[in-house]
Amino acid sequence: MSQAGTVEAGAPQPLVVPSPTHIVGVGASAGGLEALERMFQSVPADTGMAFVIVQHLSPDFRSLMDELLARWTSMKIHRVSDGMPVEANSIYLIPPKKEMVISEGRLLLEDKDRESGLSLPIDHFLKSLAEDRRQNAIAVILSGTGSDGSRGVEEIKRAGGLVLVQSDQSAKFDGMPHAARETGAVDLVLDPEEIGPAL
């Protein structure tokens, strides 16, 4: 049997940054930390996907999200810096006081516009994710008040992507999941620990 195309043992391997098969945009607000912990308990560390968490953060509060999630997953967890490339089997956290989009596989940050009043960072990110990844985009909407994420899931669905939403009974605050479901764009309604196996 021909061994053509195999790499010699001991030959130096080029350092390749793995591109994710899919990028999962996760929107969360009030009650979202508990939902995220329950979700990542059931997500294998080697899915080949990347997870970008867009959470409503207080501008004056230092988030401990990276340290808290590290208890439940062995995936690399990154606080996003401007221009950061998205790699497989990694989690990315939006910093406070920022809006974020994805373009050509890189996360781009901009300062929140304080003049505009209402901020919808989840919708803002999911819209860019739909444009950047099309059918390889996935949206997950977890516990939170208000309706942020509902416009974004419609964009993901329109692009051919997948939309998952936390079930009302498992969410501390069901405003965001309920608003997403009302769009008719949701594929699956699940408890957080069911999301990993579904993905």
Side-chain angles (χ1 to χ4, degrees):
M1 194 170 179
S2 167
Q3 295 297 307
T6 59
V7 178
E8 291 289 321
Q13 297 291 316
L15 185 65
V16 178
V17 174
S19 290
T21 56
H22 297 76
I23 296 179
V24 185
V26 184
S29 184
L33 177 59
E34 180 189 316
L36 285 162
E37 290 177 335
R38 288 169 61 191
M39 174 179 140
F40 280 109
Q41 273 182 281
S42 67
V43 176
D46 58 353
T47 61
M49 301 180 187
F51 297 83
V52 183
I53 299 173
V54 182
Q55 195 184 21
H56 292 172
L57 297 169
S58 162
D60 310 310
F61 180 72
R62 181 181 176 266
S63 174
L64 301 173
M65 172 82 74
D66 49 352
E67 295 161 36
L68 295 169
L69 285 184
R71 296 191 294 189
W72 304 106
T73 179
S74 59
M75 278 189 273
K76 286 184 191 167
I77 301 174
H78 307 270
R79 287 174 188 252
V80 174
S81 56
D82 190 40
M84 183 176 275
V86 176
E87 299 174 14
N89 304 322
S90 297
I91 298 170
Y92 297 85
L93 306 177
I94 188 171
K97 302 184 193 172
K98 298 289 183 183
E99 297 270 352
M100 182 168 66
V101 297
I102 186 167
S103 178
E104 297 179 357
R106 289 181 177 272
L107 295 168
L108 308 177
L109 298 174
E110 54 198 38
D111 290 330
K112 265 189 185 164
D113 181 2
R114 296 191 174 192
E115 305 301 312
S116 67
L118 184 65
S119 173
L120 299 170
I122 301 168
D123 282 333
H124 190 61
F125 178 75
L126 291 179
K127 182 175 186 295
S128 72
L129 180 61
E131 290 167 1
D132 199 59
R133 290 289 140 151
R134 312 299 303 167
Q135 71 274 15
N136 294 322
I138 299 174
V140 175
I141 302 297
L142 300 175
S143 175
T145 57
S147 63
D148 194 10
S150 59
R151 295 159 198 80
V153 299
E154 290 181 292
E155 299 279 354
I156 296 284
K157 190 68 181 170
R158 207 171 289 130
L162 181 70
V163 178
L164 310 180
V165 168
Q166 183 174 359
S167 61
D168 280 2
Q169 67 271 18
S170 70
K172 272 191 174 173
F173 298 90
D174 64 5
M176 279 177 22
H178 182 76
R181 268 205 330 281
E182 289 289 294
T183 65
V186 173
D187 295 294
L188 293 169
V189 178
L190 301 166
D191 291 350
E193 48 273 12
E194 297 171 325
I195 291 171
L199 290 173

